[in-house]
Amino acid sequence: QIEINALAAKDKLRTDAISNAYKALQDANGGQFPIDIGTLQGNISQHLTKELKSNHLSSAIASDLNEFYKNPTFESYEALRTNLANEMRSSSNGNARAAAYIVRDELEKLPVFGEGSNAPQAVQLKQLADNARKLVRERAAIIKNNPAYRAAINESADLKELASQGESLNAEKFHKKYVAGATPEAIRRMKAELPPDDLAHQAIAFNELERAKNAAVNASGRNLTPEQFAKFLKQNKSVLRETLSPEAMQDVTELGLLTSKIGMPKTG
C-alpha cells in the first residue's frame, strides 16, 4: 500500500499542475475559458465517426458533453475530464471505454479561439494552451509506459470511490506483480517516479528481503533450505539488484554462498 500511495501522490502533483495550467489559461482570458466549442464539437464528432464509436458513447457521457457545450467553464471542463476518466477506467463495455477515450483525447487537445492568428492575445493563449497540452501528454506517456504507475493511480481511484479502510483492493498483489514479477526496466521506471527519500523505497526493499528470507527456510521457518535459496537467487538476481541497496545485495549474496556450504542444516 505504501508503494501505491507514493505513486498516487506523484500523480496528484502532475494532475494539480495540469489543472493549474488550465486555470492560468482561463485567467489570461479574463476569467472566461477560451475553448473553441465549435471546433471541439466538430473534432469529437469526426473522430467518433471515423472509429465507428458514435453509437457507443454512453448516454451519461453524451449528456455531460452536451451540458459542457452549453456552459464551457474551467470547472465544467475539469468535471468532464474526471467523468471521462472514470468511464474509461470502470465501464464494463469496451466500446464505451474507447468512445470515452476519443472524447477525452479531443478535449485535452484544447482548441482555443484565435489559434493560428498572430494577434497578441491569441498568441499568449496559444502558449498557455500549449503548456497545458504538454503536461497532459507527459502524464499520458508515463501512464502508457509505466505499468506500476498506471496500476497505482487506478487503485488510488478505487480506494477513494469505495471509501475503504485505507487499503486498496489489490494492495496485497501489487508488489508481487509490479516489482517481484517485473522486468528490471519496469522497476527502474517505477522507482524513478519516487522521491529519493520516500518510504516506498524501503517498502520495496523490505518486500524483497522478505521474499529472500522465505526462500531461505522451509515452511515452518525453522530449517535452512540451501537449494531453494540458491534457486531463488539465480532466478531473481536482476530484480534484487534493482530493489536492494548495494550493501543489502552483497549481504544476500554472501548468505547464499554461506548456505551453499551447509550440508545438513539442523533445526533452529
Side-chain angles (χ1 to χ4, degrees), residues 23-181:
K23 185 67 166 58
L25 179 63
Q26 176 174 276
D27 292 344
N29 195 47
Q32 297 294 315
F33 201 50
I35 190 166
D36 187 337
I37 288 298
T39 299
L40 175 67
Q41 193 167 4
N43 290 344
I44 289 175
S45 177
Q46 183 179 12
H47 197 165
L48 287 172
T49 300
K50 180 181 177 180
E51 300 295 332
L52 295 180
K53 292 294 184 290
S54 300
N55 296 324
H56 297 286
L57 194 65
S58 73
S59 58
I61 292 297
S63 178
D64 290 343
L65 195 55
N66 286 327
E67 288 297 317
F68 176 70
Y69 290 152
K70 297 174 186 176
N71 185 30
T73 65
F74 167 70
E75 290 75 18
S76 60
Y77 182 81
E78 288 283 82
L80 181 56
R81 287 176 69 244
T82 298
N83 291 350
L84 287 164
N86 290 337
E87 179 82 357
M88 289 158 55
R89 180 175 53 82
S90 60
S91 175
S92 60
N93 187 315
N95 282 321
R97 292 196 303 271
Y101 174 83
I102 289 171
V103 174
R104 176 151 173 164
D105 185 50
E106 292 297 338
L107 194 68
E108 290 179 338
K109 289 177 182 176
L110 196 66
V112 296
F113 288 115
E115 199 160 4
S117 75
N118 293 321
Q121 174 74 354
V123 170
Q124 181 191 16
L125 292 179
K126 182 181 183 304
Q127 289 175 342
L128 291 169
D130 283 345
N131 180 54
R133 290 185 284 231
K134 173 174 171 285
L135 293 174
V136 168
R137 287 194 302 272
E138 288 174 349
R139 179 174 182 263
I142 293 291
I143 292 173
K144 179 180 179 181
N145 298 314
N146 195 322
Y149 189 97
R150 179 170 62 249
I153 60 178
N154 287 338
E155 288 296 321
S156 178
D158 286 339
L159 187 62
K160 292 175 184 175
E161 289 177 8
L162 297 173
S164 70
Q165 299 302 309
E167 182 173 321
S168 304
L169 292 175
N170 296 309
E172 187 175 348
K173 302 175 183 177
F174 186 86
H175 180 91
K176 181 179 180 181
K177 183 173 183 179
Y178 296 106
V179 179

Side-chain angles (χ1 to χ4, degrees), residues 182-201:
T183 64
E185 176 58 24
I187 296 170
R188 284 192 288 272
R189 291 181 184 183
M190 173 185 174
K191 292 179 68 178
E193 294 303 318
L194 303 173
D197 59 347
D198 197 284
L199 186 63
H201 290 288

